[in-house]
Coordinates of all heavy atoms in Angstrom, one line a residue:
A13 N 90.1 85.8 105.8 CA 90.8 86.9 106.5 C 91.3 88.0 105.6 O 91.9 87.5 104.5 CB 91.8 86.4 107.5
V14 N 91.1 89.2 105.8 CA 91.5 90.3 105.0 C 92.3 91.3 105.7 O 92.0 91.7 106.9 CB 90.3 91.1 104.4 CG1 90.8 92.1 103.5 CG2 89.4 90.0 103.6
D15 N 93.6 91.5 105.3 CA 94.5 92.6 105.7 C 94.4 93.8 104.7 O 95.2 93.7 103.6 CB 95.9 92.0 105.9 CG 96.8 93.2 106.4 OD1 96.3 93.9 107.3 OD2 98.0 93.4 105.8
P16 N 93.5 94.7 104.8 CA 93.2 95.7 103.8 C 94.5 96.8 103.7 O 95.2 97.0 104.7 CB 92.2 96.5 104.4 CG 91.5 95.7 105.3 CD 92.5 94.9 106.0
P17 N 94.8 97.3 102.5 CA 95.8 98.2 102.3 C 95.5 99.6 102.7 O 94.3 99.9 102.8 CB 96.2 98.2 100.9 CG 95.0 97.8 100.3 CD 94.2 96.9 101.3
A18 N 96.5 100.4 103.2 CA 96.1 101.8 103.5 C 95.8 102.6 102.3 O 95.1 103.7 102.4 CB 97.2 102.4 104.4
S19 N 96.3 102.1 101.1 CA 96.2 102.9 99.9 C 96.1 102.0 98.7 O 96.7 100.9 98.9 CB 97.3 104.0 99.7 OG 97.3 104.5 98.4
H20 N 95.6 102.4 97.7 CA 95.6 101.7 96.5 C 96.4 102.2 95.3 O 96.4 101.8 94.1 CB 94.2 101.3 95.9 CG 93.5 102.7 95.5 ND1 92.7 103.4 96.2 CD2 93.4 103.3 94.1 CE1 92.1 104.4 95.5 NE2 92.7 104.4 94.4
R21 N 97.3 103.3 95.7 CA 98.2 103.7 94.8 C 99.3 102.9 94.3 O 99.6 101.9 95.1 CB 98.8 105.2 95.3 CG 97.7 106.2 95.6 CD 98.4 107.6 95.9 NE 99.1 107.5 97.1 CZ 98.7 107.7 98.3 NH1 97.5 108.1 98.5 NH2 99.6 107.6 99.3
K22 N 99.9 103.2 93.2 CA 101.0 102.4 92.7 C 102.1 102.3 93.8 O 102.5 103.4 94.4 CB 101.5 103.1 91.5 CG 102.5 102.2 90.8 CD 103.1 102.9 89.5 CE 104.2 102.0 88.9 NZ 104.7 102.6 87.5
G23 N 102.6 101.1 94.1 CA 103.8 101.0 95.0 C 103.2 100.8 96.5 O 103.9 100.6 97.4
A24 N 101.8 100.9 96.6 CA 101.2 100.5 98.0 C 101.2 99.1 98.4 O 101.6 98.2 97.6 CB 99.7 101.1 98.0
D25 N 101.1 98.9 99.6 CA 100.9 97.5 100.1 C 99.9 96.7 99.4 O 99.0 97.3 98.9 CB 100.7 97.4 101.6 CG 101.8 98.1 102.4 OD1 103.0 98.1 101.9 OD2 101.6 98.5 103.6
A26 N 100.1 95.4 99.3 CA 99.0 94.6 98.8 C 97.8 94.4 99.8 O 98.0 94.7 101.0 CB 99.7 93.2 98.5
C27 N 96.7 93.9 99.4 CA 95.7 93.5 100.1 C 95.8 92.1 100.4 O 95.7 91.2 99.4 CB 94.3 93.9 99.4 SG 92.9 93.2 100.5
G28 N 96.0 91.5 101.6 CA 96.1 90.1 101.9 C 94.8 89.6 102.1 O 93.9 90.2 102.8
I29 N 94.5 88.5 101.3 CA 93.2 87.8 101.4 C 93.6 86.3 101.4 O 93.9 85.7 100.4 CB 92.3 88.2 100.2 CG1 92.1 89.6 100.1 CG2 90.9 87.4 100.5 CD1 91.3 90.1 98.9
V30 N 93.4 85.6 102.6 CA 93.7 84.3 102.7 C 92.6 83.6 103.3 O 91.9 84.0 104.3 CB 95.0 84.2 103.6 CG1 95.3 82.7 104.0 CG2 96.2 84.8 102.9
A31 N 92.3 82.2 103.0 CA 91.3 81.5 103.5 C 91.8 80.3 104.2 O 92.8 79.7 103.6 CB 90.3 81.1 102.4
C32 N 91.4 79.9 105.4 CA 91.6 78.7 106.1 C 90.6 77.9 106.6 O 89.4 78.5 106.8 CB 92.7 79.0 107.3 SG 94.3 79.8 106.8
G33 N 90.6 76.7 106.8 CA 89.7 75.9 107.3 C 90.1 75.1 108.5 O 91.3 74.8 108.8
L34 N 89.3 74.7 109.5 CA 89.6 73.9 110.7 C 88.8 72.6 110.6 O 87.6 72.4 110.4 CB 89.0 74.6 111.9 CG 89.3 74.1 113.3 CD1 90.9 74.3 113.5 CD2 88.7 74.8 114.3
D35 N 89.5 71.4 110.9 CA 88.8 70.1 110.8 C 88.4 69.8 112.3 O 88.5 70.5 113.2 CB 89.7 69.0 110.2 CG 90.9 68.7 111.0 OD1 91.0 69.3 112.2 OD2 91.6 67.8 110.6
A36 N 87.8 68.6 112.4 CA 87.3 68.1 113.8 C 88.3 67.9 114.8 O 88.1 67.9 115.9 CB 86.4 66.8 113.4
E37 N 89.6 67.6 114.2 CA 90.7 67.3 115.1 C 91.4 68.6 115.6 O 92.4 68.4 116.3 CB 91.8 66.4 114.4 CG 91.1 65.1 113.9 CD 90.5 64.3 115.0 OE1 91.1 64.2 116.0 OE2 89.3 63.7 114.9
G38 N 91.0 69.7 115.1 CA 91.7 70.9 115.5 C 92.7 71.3 114.5 O 93.6 72.2 115.0
T39 N 93.0 70.8 113.4 CA 94.1 71.0 112.5 C 93.5 72.1 111.4 O 92.4 72.1 111.0 CB 94.6 69.8 111.7 OG1 95.0 68.9 112.6 CG2 95.6 70.2 110.7
V40 N 94.4 73.2 111.2 CA 94.0 74.2 110.2 C 94.7 73.8 109.0 O 95.8 73.5 108.9 CB 94.5 75.6 110.8 CG1 94.3 76.6 109.8 CG2 93.9 75.9 112.1
F41 N 93.8 74.1 107.9 CA 94.3 73.9 106.4 C 94.2 75.2 105.8 O 93.1 75.9 105.8 CB 93.3 72.8 105.8 CG 93.6 71.5 106.5 CD1 92.9 71.1 107.5 CD2 94.5 70.5 105.8 CE1 93.0 69.9 108.1 CE2 94.7 69.3 106.4 CZ 94.0 68.9 107.6
V42 N 95.3 75.7 105.2 CA 95.3 76.9 104.3 C 94.8 76.4 103.0 O 95.1 75.6 102.3 CB 96.8 77.3 104.1 CG1 96.9 78.6 103.2 CG2 97.4 77.7 105.4
L43 N 93.7 77.2 102.6 CA 92.8 76.7 101.4 C 93.1 77.7 100.1 O 92.9 77.2 99.1 CB 91.5 76.8 101.8 CG 91.0 76.1 103.1 CD1 89.5 76.2 103.3 CD2 91.2 74.5 102.8
A44 N 93.4 79.0 100.4 CA 93.5 79.9 99.3 C 94.2 81.0 99.6 O 94.1 81.6 100.7 CB 92.0 80.2 98.8
D45 N 94.8 81.7 98.7 CA 95.5 83.0 99.0 C 95.2 83.8 97.5 O 95.7 83.5 96.5 CB 97.0 82.9 99.0 CG 97.8 84.2 99.0 OD1 97.1 85.3 99.2 OD2 99.0 84.2 98.7
V46 N 94.4 84.8 97.7 CA 93.9 85.6 96.4 C 94.4 87.0 96.8 O 93.8 87.9 96.2 CB 92.4 85.5 96.3 CG1 92.1 84.1 95.8 CG2 91.6 86.0 97.4
S47 N 95.4 87.2 97.3 CA 96.0 88.5 97.8 C 96.4 89.3 96.4 O 96.8 88.4 95.5 CB 97.1 88.4 98.7 OG 96.8 87.8 99.9
A48 N 96.3 90.6 96.4 CA 96.7 91.3 95.1 C 97.1 92.6 95.4 O 96.6 93.3 96.6 CB 95.6 91.1 94.2
E49 N 97.8 93.3 94.7 CA 98.2 94.6 94.9 C 97.3 95.6 93.9 O 96.8 95.2 93.0 CB 99.6 94.9 94.4 CG 100.7 94.1 95.3 CD 102.1 94.4 94.8 OE1 102.3 95.1 93.7 OE2 103.1 93.9 95.4
G50 N 97.4 96.9 94.3 CA 96.7 97.8 93.5 C 95.1 97.8 93.4 O 94.5 98.4 92.6
L51 N 94.6 97.1 94.3 CA 93.1 97.0 94.5 C 92.4 98.2 95.1 O 92.9 98.6 96.2 CB 92.7 95.8 95.1 CG 93.2 94.4 94.4 CD1 92.6 93.2 95.3 CD2 92.6 94.3 93.1
K52 N 91.5 98.8 94.5 CA 90.7 99.8 95.2 C 89.8 99.1 96.3 O 89.5 97.9 96.1 CB 89.8 100.6 94.1 CG 90.5 101.4 93.2 CD 89.7 102.0 92.2 CE 90.5 102.8 91.0 NZ 89.7 103.3 90.1
P53 N 89.2 99.9 97.1 CA 88.5 99.2 98.3 C 87.2 98.3 97.9 O 87.2 97.2 98.5 CB 87.9 100.4 99.1 CG 89.1 101.5 98.8 CD 89.5 101.4 97.5
H54 N 86.6 98.8 96.8 CA 85.4 98.0 96.4 C 86.0 96.7 95.7 O 85.3 95.6 95.6 CB 84.5 98.7 95.4 CG 85.0 99.1 94.0 ND1 85.9 100.2 93.8 CD2 84.9 98.4 92.9 CE1 86.1 100.1 92.6 NE2 85.6 99.1 92.0
E55 N 87.0 96.7 95.1 CA 87.7 95.6 94.4 C 88.2 94.5 95.3 O 87.8 93.5 95.3 CB 88.9 96.1 93.5 CG 88.3 96.9 92.3 CD 89.6 97.5 91.5 OE1 90.7 97.7 92.1 OE2 89.4 97.7 90.3
W56 N 88.9 95.0 96.5 CA 89.3 93.9 97.4 C 88.2 93.4 98.3 O 88.1 92.1 98.5 CB 90.5 94.4 98.3 CG 90.4 95.5 99.2 CD1 90.8 96.8 99.1 CD2 89.6 95.7 100.4 NE1 90.5 97.6 100.2 CE2 89.7 96.9 100.9 CE3 88.8 94.7 101.1 CZ2 89.1 97.3 102.1 CZ3 88.2 95.1 102.3 CH2 88.3 96.5 102.8
A57 N 87.2 94.2 98.5 CA 86.0 93.8 99.2 C 85.2 92.8 98.2 O 84.8 91.7 99.0 CB 85.1 95.0 99.5
G58 N 85.1 93.0 97.0 CA 84.5 92.1 96.1 C 85.3 90.8 95.9 O 84.6 89.7 96.0

């Protein structure tokens, strides 16, 4: 899941990028957080 920032200028919000998985029992597992600040659109998309 991605929460894109409105801007990539200095001091702007970070781009939230988090991965989760679901098992057969319905439990969710948080797998990764690669969020970062200052990313241009093509950078956070990549």
Side-chain angles (χ1 to χ4, degrees):
V14 183
D15 178 45
S19 167
H20 64 271
R21 294 191 299 271
K22 185 177 181 180
D25 295 338
C27 178
I29 307 173
V30 174
C32 297
L34 185 73
D35 72 2
E37 304 300 320
T39 301
V40 177
F41 292 83
V42 181
L43 305 175
D45 173 19
V46 298
S47 308
E49 295 181 356
L51 298 179
K52 298 177 180 179
H54 72 278
E55 292 173 331
W56 61 252

